[in-house]
Amino acid sequence: MSDAISLIIPPREKDLGGFMVKRILPFAKHRMVGPWIFFDHMGPAVFQPNTGTNVRPHPHINLATVTYLFEGHIHHRDSLGSSEVISPGDINLMVAGKGIVHSEREPLEGIEQPRSLHGLQLWHALPEADEETDAAFYHYDSADIPAVSVEDVPVRVMMGTAYGVTSPVKTFAETLYLEARLTPGQVLDLPTHVAERALYVVTGAVSVNGTPVDEHHMVILETGAAVAIKAETETQLAVVGGEPFTERHIYWNFVSSRKERIEQAKADWREGRFPKVPGDEIEFIPLPE
């Protein structure tokens, strides 16, 4: 295995109720990459008419969720009153801070037709000074996300700065999130300016400094190592990273630097003290025990 690679993480299938996801982070041997503490690959899934995504209202604290779709649509609603249908190429950034509740449903428009869903949902921890910030929601249209060509490889810089461009998506710490699409034989050199980096193969297969990496696997990279990604087939990649964070505790949808804060959030959800989602007030996901 290449000296640039510290670990290769395989996918684990998780049932989210109606469709399966591949859960990459947190992993027992490597829980975070920079601020990123959660990485789910949704789909690709094909839904029959009148079925689809149906994630009932649930809470978050002390983190931010980042949703990005390759195919399909999701209707996001939250306790701030936000209501937004995310489309392919857009980014939804939901800052939980001191606490937020949201649901992710299938948009009703066109629900009589078969439809597909394929995307990534990531969480990043907030710096300790920002964990209890006010909740907020930001939507960024696909056209607002900078795209560059790096040695003829199309790259989108979703968060942070790379290849001479900076994304408008809000960050709280040094953060990196890229998407790239390579044809067979193309090579992409990864940025080295962030301390922690990981590469995820969404589709296809690559070699990392000569080491083969299969589809749906994440490669944890060594700090500062020069890394060249070569596509063995038509390949779609995601690259995440950022500055190192202190340890975070995670329970269900709660992430915090403080165990007692998670206990408080559990009690608040159990006792119904979180705010409701306007327009989606009836259903909710119970606290897992």
Side-chain angles (χ1 to χ4, degrees), residues 256-275:
S256 181
S257 63
R258 297 157 291 153
K259 287 184 177 179
E260 66 274 13
R261 182 65 181 91
I262 289 180
E263 292 303 314
Q264 181 63 56
K266 289 163 64 175
D268 288 344
W269 184 246
R270 190 185 295 114
E271 299 301 322
R273 291 192 287 263
F274 274 86

Side-chain angles (χ1 to χ4, degrees), residues 1-286:
M1 190 162 68
S2 166
D3 291 344
I5 297 173
S6 65
L7 181 67
I8 298 178
I9 299 176
R12 292 153 291 147
E13 295 282 341
K14 298 286 183 179
D15 187 350
L16 290 193
F19 72 105
M20 302 297 290
V21 301
K22 301 164 191 70
R23 181 148 302 161
I24 310 301
L25 293 177
F27 185 63
K29 295 180 180 178
H30 201 100
R31 292 172 56 80
M32 298 180 71
V33 179
W36 301 103
I37 195 167
F38 181 93
F39 191 115
D40 262 6
H41 180 184
M42 305 179 289
V46 177
F47 299 117
Q48 295 306 308
N50 298 306
T51 64
T53 315
N54 191 32
V55 181
R56 294 167 290 159
H58 58 280
H60 292 281
I61 61 161
N62 291 189
L63 58 83
T65 68
V66 181
T67 304
Y68 182 79
L69 299 181
F70 307 119
E71 297 178 74
H73 299 82
I74 293 176
H75 185 190
H76 164 95
R77 285 186 286 192
D78 62 43
S79 51
L80 300 174
S82 312
S83 179
E84 187 76 49
V85 175
I86 184 172
S87 299
D90 299 347
I91 288 181
N92 275 2
L93 171 69
M94 186 185 74
V95 181
K98 65 181 64 173
I100 198 168
V101 179
H102 76 133
S103 62
E104 295 162 298
R105 306 277 197 175
E106 196 70 23
L108 294 180
E109 183 177 354
I111 199 168
E112 300 85 3
Q113 305 298 322
R115 56 182 65 199
S116 59
L117 181 70
H118 186 205
L120 301 176
Q121 187 167 77
L122 285 65
W123 302 351
H124 71 71
L126 294 173
E128 291 183 30
D130 295 309
E131 284 186 316
E132 297 297 330
T133 193
D134 289 337
F137 176 77
Y138 304 90
H139 174 83
Y140 300 87
D141 288 336
S142 179
D144 297 328
I145 306 303
V148 295
S149 178
V150 182
E151 297 295 323
D152 296 326
V153 175
V155 176
R156 303 188 85 213
V157 180
M158 269 103 76
M159 296 178 73
T161 298
Y163 304 117
V165 298
T166 298
S167 169
V169 177
K170 182 177 177 62
T171 59
F172 291 83
E174 187 176 46
T175 304
L176 183 66
Y177 184 13
L178 312 174
E179 184 215 353
R181 300 178 187 234
L182 294 82
T183 57
Q186 280 192 311
V187 176
L188 178 66
D189 293 326
L190 296 189
T192 58
H193 65 281
V194 295
E196 298 186 359
R197 296 167 298 163
L199 163 79
Y200 179 70
V201 184
V202 178
T203 59
V206 302
S207 61
V208 178
N209 289 9
T211 298
V213 179
D214 292 333
E215 188 173 66
H216 306 153
H217 286 65
M218 175 174 279
V219 180
I220 306 298
L221 300 168
E222 294 288 353
T223 299
V227 176
I229 309 301
K230 181 181 178 182
E232 305 299 335
T233 65
E234 290 281 342
T235 297
Q236 190 171 4
L237 304 175
V239 178
V240 295
E243 65 184 80
F245 264 48
T246 57
E247 181 185 4
R248 291 298 188 271
H249 306 285
I250 184 168
Y251 173 87
W252 190 40
N253 300 310
F254 304 137
V255 167
S256 181
S257 63
R258 297 157 291 153
K259 287 184 177 179
E260 66 274 13
R261 182 65 181 91
I262 289 180
E263 292 303 314
Q264 181 63 56
K266 289 163 64 175
D268 288 344
W269 184 246
R270 190 185 295 114
E271 299 301 322
R273 291 192 287 263
F274 274 86
K276 300 286 188 180
V277 176
D280 202 349
E281 300 97 337
I282 306 303
E283 294 186 307
F284 65 93
I285 301 177

